Amino acid sequence: MARGLFITFEGTEGSGKTTQVELLGQKLSSRQPLMVREPGGTELGERLREVVLNSGMELDGEAEMYLFMAARRQLLHELITPALALGRIVIADRYHDSTLAYQGGGRGVPVSWPATFPRPDMTFLLSLPVHKGRERQLSAGKSADRVERESIEFHNRVAAEYERLAGAEPERITRLDASEPREAVHHKVMSRVKPAVDALS
Ligand code: Z5A
């Protein structure tokens, strides 16, 4: 079976994931990559996004974890798995490492990696001090969602868990200094992505 290339971006808020996803998508546009963001990308995912991020509902941490994972499973089923099976490139703005970091590291919920969730071929962790990411969001005029409104201690635990995950899987997860200029970060992303893309054709 053909297997495309599955690339994910992770990091705390304002670390530049969406910026890097867009730059990479533009660079690889001739290959028409599938670009997705989490939670979202399907009708179920977008509805669950509203519930977990914007509804104001008080959620149990484990219930929240299952909602993120239900959205992910539907995204895999509808879009990611078929695209990879056709040999396409998939670029995801957050994936299961987010649940490990936020619900696992941040909330202390036990989170495992389901056997039916494929591991990305490569993951970029955009590493930035939490307060700098928040400053970027404030200067961009972005209002905080339910998770973003959590305490600085929560976000520091999330950042620490991301660092731990990167240390545990150095071959998959490339840690990048997200305080560097956008183009410098993109250049480092491309230096890892290009050989893998060349190997596809
Ligand atoms: N969440 C969860 O808890 N569990 C899960 O399983 C999943 C998610 C999947 C999703 O929110 C929330 O859901 C998130 C985790 C939780 N909440 N938190 N925290 P979202 O999708 O709305 O937001 P986000 O994923 O956190 O992304 P973001 O905050 O929008 O930021 P970003 O994508 O990392 O950054 P950006 O939009 O590319 O850049 C932010 C600003 O910085 C912008 O003005 C850029 O122009 C600027 N920027 C970008 N790069 C640079 C550099 N290099 N230098 C200077 N300025 C830069």
Side-chain angles (χ1 to χ4, degrees), residues 38-191:
E38 285 210 22
T42 65
E43 188 181 346
L44 178 70
E46 293 299 332
R47 288 197 195 188
L48 291 179
R49 183 182 178 89
E50 276 307 300
V51 171
V52 282
L53 299 183
N54 300 320
S55 68
M57 224 181 268
E58 229 179 80
L59 293 175
D60 168 73
E62 193 172 344
E64 181 190 56
M65 171 193 76
Y66 286 124
L67 293 174
F68 279 117
M69 285 171 66
R72 180 165 309 124
R73 183 57 223 157
Q74 191 68 21
L75 184 65
L76 282 163
H77 171 71
E78 287 188 30
L79 296 175
I80 296 178
T81 306
L84 290 175
L86 289 171
R88 289 180 66 191
I89 298 169
V90 176
I91 306 172
D93 191 339
R94 295 194 180 279
Y95 183 61
H96 194 60
D97 291 297
S98 285
T99 307
L100 292 167
Y102 282 82
Q103 282 63 53
R107 300 216 193 281
V109 172
V111 184
S112 57
W113 193 300
T116 55
F117 287 13
R119 294 253 171 198
D121 296 293
M122 59 184 79
T123 296
F124 294 98
L125 171 59
L126 300 177
S127 193
L128 186 73
V130 167
H131 71 275
K132 286 199 178 165
R134 189 90 275 269
E135 278 164 24
R136 282 184 186 174
Q137 296 300 62
L138 287 174
S139 53
K142 192 188 171 208
S143 56
D145 62 43
R146 198 180 61 81
V147 178
E148 286 164 349
R149 283 194 295 272
E150 288 290 342
S151 66
I152 187 83
E153 291 77 17
F154 170 87
H155 289 285
N156 283 334
R157 287 197 299 278
V158 172
E161 182 62 9
Y162 268 133
E163 296 296 332
R164 198 193 64 74
L165 292 169
E169 272 191 87
E171 290 193 358
R172 175 172 69 88
I173 304 178
T174 301
R175 182 185 178 282
L176 297 174
D177 178 357
S179 65
E180 291 187 354
R182 295 166 183 77
E183 282 302 329
V185 178
H186 174 60
H187 186 75
K188 289 182 179 162
V189 168
M190 277 313 294
S191 68

